[in-house]
């Protein structure tokens, strides 16, 4: 493999794949992130040599030295995207080029070696093609891909590593939330923040998610499904959920979502929904929205719907928001008209049921 990543990944077939009957049983109700396909992609990077030894191989444990730098200094990034079965046969990925660009941006922020976009795309296409039998067929299901990269240099010392391992694994998935169409309940964190200006908020790195877990656990203790974070400076403006972006729908039919100012992950689902909404003639604003305004608008009825979005959860209606001294219901507490319409439009494109005017689907086979 050249440094430019132009050559083809080598294929090493899994010698003991899961028997078809067991695989079929798993695909009937895969849950989310619990079952995994037979193969994975691995590509290595060495300073002075570039990217090399790319292969599709049997999924296996990773041997790591105890001094491997990712274990000590957390140089790690990841992505999430899905492959969908198409009505006419075959399968396609949804906007993998956007994932490739975000992956490279995350690498630069974490001082890691950026993976060339074309190599990222080659890797996800190759794994989907090899493990095509793992793509579930049920409505709302897909093959979730998790590309990730870790620092593998064995050394102690705070510096960017000189060696990295890039991997892609795949998992057949169903719905992320068990509640289905019902609205989820959010807990407003007063004790924790997700990201601060100048930090890693707009990078997709494991540290951001690790930092959110205590707040998420707090939300669960309060009987909520997800935590919602406020800004780090004034502690008043809504930013995002533990792992999803957030949108607000108003009585005049307009939509608002927090702006990308460096502390919020630039979600690909978020971007897609903004585009689809504008295609429908809906006014979309990317503007700051305070928690006090959220409470007031929910009480007055000006806010009629709210929803969260992401690759895993797709579009999820928000029914209630709670804090230490308040609780507010949004609209009817479930999926509203705009939320339902946008979700249907997105899913129809992803599953090949509607015209793909923006060229978002990349057919794999």
């Amino acid at each position: 493999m050249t440094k430019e990543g132009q050559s083809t990944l080598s294929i090493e077939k899994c010698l003991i794949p899961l028997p078809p009957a067991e695989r079929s049983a798993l695909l009937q109700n895969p849950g989310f992130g619990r079952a995994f396909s037979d193969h994975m992609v691995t590509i290595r990077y060495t300073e002075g040599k570039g990217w090399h030894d790319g292969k599709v191989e049997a999924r296996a444990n990773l041997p790591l030295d105890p001094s491997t730098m990712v274990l000590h200094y957390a140089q790690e990034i990841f992505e999430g995207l899905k492959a969908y079965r198409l009505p006419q046969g075959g399968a396609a990925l949804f906007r993998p080029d956007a994932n490739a660009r975000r992956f490279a941006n995350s690498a630069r922020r974490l001082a890691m070696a950026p993976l060339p976009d074309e190599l990222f795309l080659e890797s996800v296409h190759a794994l989907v093609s090899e493990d095509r039998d793992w793509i579930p067929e049920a409505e709302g299901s897909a093959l979730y891909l998790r590309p990730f990269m870790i620092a593998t240099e064995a050394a102690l010392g705070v510096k960017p590593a000189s060696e990295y391992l890039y991997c892609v694994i795949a998992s057949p998935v169903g719905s992320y939330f068990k509640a289905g169409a019902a609205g989820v309940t959010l807990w407003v964190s007063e004790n924790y923040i997700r990201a601060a200006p100048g930090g890693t908020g707009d990078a997709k790195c494991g540290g951001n998610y690790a930092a959110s877990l205590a707040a998420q656990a707090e939300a669960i203790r309060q009987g909520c499904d997800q935590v919602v974070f406020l800004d780090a400076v004034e502690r008043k403006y809504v930013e995002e959920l533990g792992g999803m972006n957030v949108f607000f729908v108003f009585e005049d039919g307009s939509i608002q979502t927090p702006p990308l100012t460096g502390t919020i992950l630039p979600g690909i689902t978020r971007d897609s929904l903004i585009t689809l909404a504008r295609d429908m003639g809906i006014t979309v604003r990317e503007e700051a929205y305070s928690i006090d305004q959220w409470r007031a608008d929910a009480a007055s009825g000006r806010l009629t719907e709210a929803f969260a979005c992401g690759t895993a959860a797709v579009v999820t209606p928000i029914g209630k928001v709670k804090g230490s001294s308040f609780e507010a219901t949004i609209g009817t507490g479930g999926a509203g008209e705009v939320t339902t319409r946008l979700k249907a439009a997105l899913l129809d494109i992803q599953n090949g049921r509607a015209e793909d005017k923006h060229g978002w689907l990349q057919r794999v086979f």
Side-chain angles (χ1 to χ4, degrees), residues 183-187 224 294 317-322 327-330 333-334:
V184 295
T185 300
L186 306 184
W187 173 256
C224 299
W294 187 350
I318 298 168
K320 292 182 180 181
V321 58
K322 295 170 60 177
E327 179 174 334
T329 297
I330 296 91

Side-chain angles (χ1 to χ4, degrees), residues 49-323:
K49 186 177 182 180
W51 293 99
H52 59 92
D53 293 339
K55 62 184 72 172
V56 179
E57 58 185 316
R59 186 176 181 277
N61 293 336
L62 300 177
L64 295 176
D65 188 282
S67 64
T68 299
M69 291 179 72
V70 67
L71 302 177
H72 303 272
Y73 311 116
Q75 267 192 301
E76 181 272 351
I77 57 173
F78 67 97
E79 272 298 326
L81 65 160
K82 289 177 178 176
Y84 302 85
R85 286 204 178 274
L86 301 175
Q88 65 271 34
L93 290 157
F94 182 74
R95 302 192 66 182
D97 51 331
N99 291 97
R101 290 191 296 270
R102 190 171 66 181
F103 194 72
N105 288 337
S106 294
R108 284 187 280 270
R109 178 61 185 86
L110 272 291
M112 304 173 78
L115 184 77
D117 289 2
E118 62 271 19
L119 192 49
F120 181 101
L121 294 172
E122 182 184 4
S123 69
V124 293
H125 276 257
L127 185 58
V128 172
S129 181
E130 189 62 36
D131 280 349
R132 62 183 64 193
D133 292 338
W134 282 88
I135 307 174
E137 298 182 0
E139 179 66 27
S141 63
L143 184 66
Y144 182 85
L145 302 178
R146 171 52 59 86
F148 65 96
M149 180 162 59
I150 60 173
T152 53
E153 181 182 358
L156 298 181
V158 183
K159 68 176 186 67
S162 61
E163 298 174 9
Y164 298 95
L165 175 66
Y166 167 76
C167 297
V168 190
I169 56 177
S171 174
V173 298
S175 297
Y176 188 77
F177 287 112
K178 294 180 180 179
V184 295
T185 300
L186 306 184
W187 173 256
V188 180
S189 178
E190 297 177 356
N191 301 316
Y192 303 100
I193 60 168
R194 177 187 172 275
T200 59
D202 61 351
K204 199 166 178 67
C205 60
N208 290 343
Y209 295 81
S212 76
L213 296 180
Q216 178 63 25
E218 182 180 67
I220 297 299
R221 289 195 298 272
Q222 296 295 331
C224 299
D225 302 291
Q226 272 278 317
V227 62
V228 57
F229 290 102
L230 304 180
D231 74 287
V233 178
E234 298 186 62
R235 305 298 288 270
K236 62 184 286 188
Y237 293 107
V238 177
E239 294 222 315
E240 65 174 280
L241 278 58
M244 289 166 279
N245 296 119
V246 61
F247 281 79
F248 306 96
V249 184
F250 299 94
E251 60 183 350
D252 64 359
S254 66
I255 293 176
Q256 187 167 328
T257 190
L260 301 179
T261 57
T263 58
I264 294 175
L265 185 72
I268 294 163
T269 305
R270 173 190 182 276
D271 181 72
S272 303
L273 291 170
I274 290 173
T275 299
L276 291 175
R278 287 175 174 159
D279 286 348
M280 296 173 183
I282 297 172
T283 298
V284 182
R285 296 181 300 275
E286 296 181 69
E287 297 177 1
Y289 192 60
S290 72
I291 185 60
D292 289 340
Q293 192 65 53
W294 187 350
R295 293 174 60 184
D297 290 344
S300 69
R302 177 175 178 260
L303 180 68
T304 57
E305 305 173 39
F307 61 87
C309 68
T311 297
V314 193
V315 175
T316 300
I318 298 168
K320 292 182 180 181
V321 58
K322 295 170 60 177

